[in-house]
Amino acid sequence: MLRDYDVIVVGAGFYGATIAERTAAVLGRKVCVLERRHHIGGNSYSEIDTATGIEHHKYGSHLFHTNSEEVWRYLHRFTTFTNYRHRVLTVHQGQVYPMPINLGTICAFFGRYMTPSEARELIRQQASAEKIGHAENLEDKAISLIGRPLYEAFIRGYTKKQWQTDPRQLPASIIARLPVRFHFEPYYFTDKYEGLPTDGYTAVFRRMLDSSLIDIHLGVDFFDVREKIGPHQLVVYTGPIDRYFDYRLGELAWRTLDFEREALATDDYQGAAVINYADEDVPYTRIHEFKHLHPERRYPPGRTLICREYSRFARRSDEPYYPVNTVRDRQLFAAYQRLAGRQRNVLFGGRLGSYQYLDMHQAIGAALSDFRKKVMPFWARARECVAT
Ligand code: FAD
Ligand code: UDP
């Protein structure tokens, strides 16, 4: 019976799993996790591919990195981490370059060795030639950081494939994820902590949700059971916020992805975990080769598993992955947030519920903070009501 639970968590991704775990462990309250898919883990889910024996990330490579001491310590309750450090390469017109753009990319692209200060000066000249004042959109931001030639080679085509939205309509924050570097350091992330869960992501979720106070119902859509939930239960909703309100103010734009997996009879297909394809005439954005995520493992030789990633606009029936976040989307989201604020017993969170481009550590950090600031006070208020 759904009414037997104190908290109903909708979605078994990192946000929902963190709230469920904390609610059971700290408050000793009964939690029901409803998950539409047939597995826990949300988009961070990983599984062993039966054909190759290789663990793959079903929704694209998920690299864990964080600067948050709190999130790193919290996850260590459920897993150790390997010392994997992520590198990405990008292919442009048949040549391969380091990504994010670093001194290696700049030297290779302009065809000569430059010192850091020479490269900095070249990029400064190219960026200032465009006379961009305050950069408010992705294109202006990128050009003000790297100049037009590098933008056109490595950012414009990839971004058009990824977002199918004029880069001038996209928020500058997207590109702020990829700062240009004037050294040869090849790593994608610069966070204090980085690594992959030693036994994979799904094992982490299993341990987080392993409590006699937590029940998990897979293959259940919240909207099919919501009328069975009582007014004194807390709902933690991590699905798309516009769907919760039956799209009554309009639809928020999301990008979805198609993943084309292929098992191949070779040891090594591309020599790296992720290679991006910068040019518009290549239909996919990137290729993942999962065995490179775990060089410490002994995978069977002579086989590999790759996955090509294609991006497109999400229809209602698709999985929403990336909030597009145009100016119109942001206004619409603000209106949905006002509606959400009036729901006394519902907490909206996670990437879909807060319409934010959250990485895993940010989803966990937000859940830890919301647990303290919203879930604990909710039950403290409930106790006061009972007492008076
Ligand atoms: P999710 O993981 O999306 O979980 C939400 C869950 O809610 C889903 O399982 C969904 O099925 C369920 N749900 C929705 N509606 C309903 C409903 N009505 N009823 C029941 N269940 C419902 N982050 C990183 O830190 N590093 C990376 O390298 C990285 N790579 C990524 C690559 C891709 C392609 C994508 C899409 C994301 C990537 N992320 C990465 C982000 C990461 O996936 C998110 O930070 C994380 O999944 C957020 O967790 P969440 O709980 O908010 O959402
Ligand atoms: N990007 C790009 N070229 C690349 C990689 C990224 O233009 O080779 C841009 C693109 O707009 C993308 C954004 O930078 O959406 C953020 O990239 P990131 O790798 O962080 O995206 P994610 O892994 O979340 O898809």
Side-chain angles (χ1 to χ4, degrees):
M1 279 284 286
L2 222 44
R3 294 223 179 199
D4 294 340
Y5 297 97
D6 299 308
V7 179
I8 312 293
V9 171
V10 182
F14 264 123
Y15 185 94
T18 304
I19 295 277
E21 189 279 331
R22 290 288 77 196
T23 301
V26 178
L27 299 176
R29 294 204 170 258
K30 286 193 75 180
V31 183
C32 173
V33 177
L34 301 177
E35 172 54 61
R36 199 173 51 180
R37 292 169 172 165
H38 292 274
H39 61 72
I40 54 173
N43 288 343
S44 312
Y45 173 73
S46 65
E47 65 185 6
I48 304 292
D49 171 60
T50 45
T52 58
I54 295 168
E55 181 190 357
H56 71 106
H57 299 180
K58 187 167 179 186
Y59 305 96
S61 302
H62 273 64
L63 297 316
F64 194 85
H65 56 98
T66 186
N67 280 320
S68 163
E69 210 71 58
E70 183 188 28
V71 170
W72 187 242
R73 259 191 286 120
Y74 175 68
L75 274 186
H76 272 81
R77 295 169 182 229
F78 314 104
T79 186
T80 52
F81 283 85
T82 67
N83 58 9
Y84 178 80
R85 290 200 68 191
H86 194 49
R87 298 177 188 210
V88 175
L89 298 156
T90 185
V91 173
H92 166 59
Q93 293 186 354
Q95 284 297 332
V96 68
Y97 302 86
M99 178 56 70
I101 294 168
N102 68 16
L103 192 51
T105 321
I106 297 170
C107 292
F109 183 74
F110 292 104
R112 66 192 161 90
Y113 170 70
M114 280 174 260
T115 63
S117 48
E118 285 166 346
R120 218 179 263 281
E121 179 53 22
L122 175 72
I123 300 305
R124 195 196 58 74
Q125 283 170 13
Q126 294 190 344
S128 57
E130 300 282 330
K131 304 212 175 357
I132 292 166
H134 178 61
E136 284 188 351
N137 60 65
L138 190 154
E139 178 166 302
D140 284 354
K141 182 75 185 177
I143 292 175
S144 71
L145 288 170
I146 58 175
R148 187 168 287 278
L150 289 170
Y151 167 72
E152 292 192 346
F154 298 114
I155 307 297
R156 191 176 62 186
Y158 187 97
T159 297
K160 279 185 159 175
K161 288 193 288 187
Q162 172 74 359
W163 299 97
Q164 274 177 328
T165 298
D166 180 350
R168 301 187 64 84
Q169 294 292 318
L170 289 168
S173 58
I174 293 179
I175 205 66
R177 290 169 61 88
L178 290 186
V180 60
R181 296 161 186 170
F182 293 98
H183 51 63
F184 290 107
E185 182 81 27
Y187 299 111
Y188 206 65
F189 305 111
T190 54
D191 299 47
K192 188 167 171 196
Y193 304 111
E194 185 177 345
L196 289 170
T198 312
D199 316 315
Y201 283 101
T202 302
V204 180
F205 284 93
R206 256 189 236 117
R207 292 177 200 134
M208 289 176 84
L209 298 171
D210 179 20
S211 160
S212 58
L213 292 170
I214 302 177
D215 289 334
I216 305 163
H217 296 268
L218 298 177
V220 178
D221 192 313
F222 165 71
F223 296 104
D224 294 336
V225 297
R226 74 191 293 188
E227 73 285 354
K228 295 184 186 148
I229 296 169
H232 303 298
Q233 294 174 289
L234 175 66
V235 174
V236 177
Y237 176 82
T238 75
I241 189 167
D242 52 353
R243 168 76 181 95
Y244 183 89
F245 294 104
D246 205 17
Y247 308 105
R248 80 174 75 144
L249 304 177
E251 287 184 45
L252 290 164
W254 301 93
R255 302 291 296 162
T256 194
L257 301 171
D258 293 316
F259 297 103
E260 184 185 87
R261 253 183 304 279
E262 195 179 356
L264 299 167
T266 177
D267 261 335
D268 194 351
Y269 173 76
Q270 62 180 14
V274 177
I275 297 198
N276 291 356
Y277 285 81
D279 301 332
E280 266 186 279
D281 56 1
V282 179
Y284 38 85
T285 50
R286 50 190 172 187
I287 300 183
H288 308 261
E289 186 174 10
F290 298 104
K291 68 179 350 182
H292 294 295
L293 294 174
H294 286 283
E296 80 288 358
R297 291 185 187 167
R298 281 173 170 265
Y299 281 132
R303 286 180 252 171
T304 194
L305 183 70
I306 64 162
C307 173
R308 296 182 190 83
E309 185 177 317
Y310 301 81
S311 173
R312 61 178 169 80
F313 272 106
R315 294 180 299 259
R316 278 190 192 180
S317 53
D318 291 316
E319 289 286 348
Y321 290 120
Y322 292 97
V324 178
N325 251 323
T326 60
V327 173
R328 175 229 169 238
D329 289 318
R330 290 198 290 276
Q331 285 163 352
L332 186 55
F333 174 64
Y336 275 121
Q337 264 188 312
R338 284 192 287 277
L339 285 183
R342 286 185 225 136
Q343 307 287 305
R344 235 178 33 86
N345 295 355
V346 187
L347 167 61
F348 293 80
R351 201 178 219 208
L352 307 172
S354 62
Y355 197 65
Q356 278 186 72
Y357 194 159
L358 297 179
D359 278 333
M360 292 179 283
H361 65 282
Q362 293 166 316
I364 297 165
L368 291 172
S369 163
D370 288 349
F371 174 75
R372 279 192 304 270
K373 293 188 186 144
K374 296 176 181 167
V375 179
M376 289 178 73
F378 176 91
W379 290 109
R381 277 197 306 276
R383 265 202 313 276
E384 278 165 27
C385 287
V386 171
T388 52

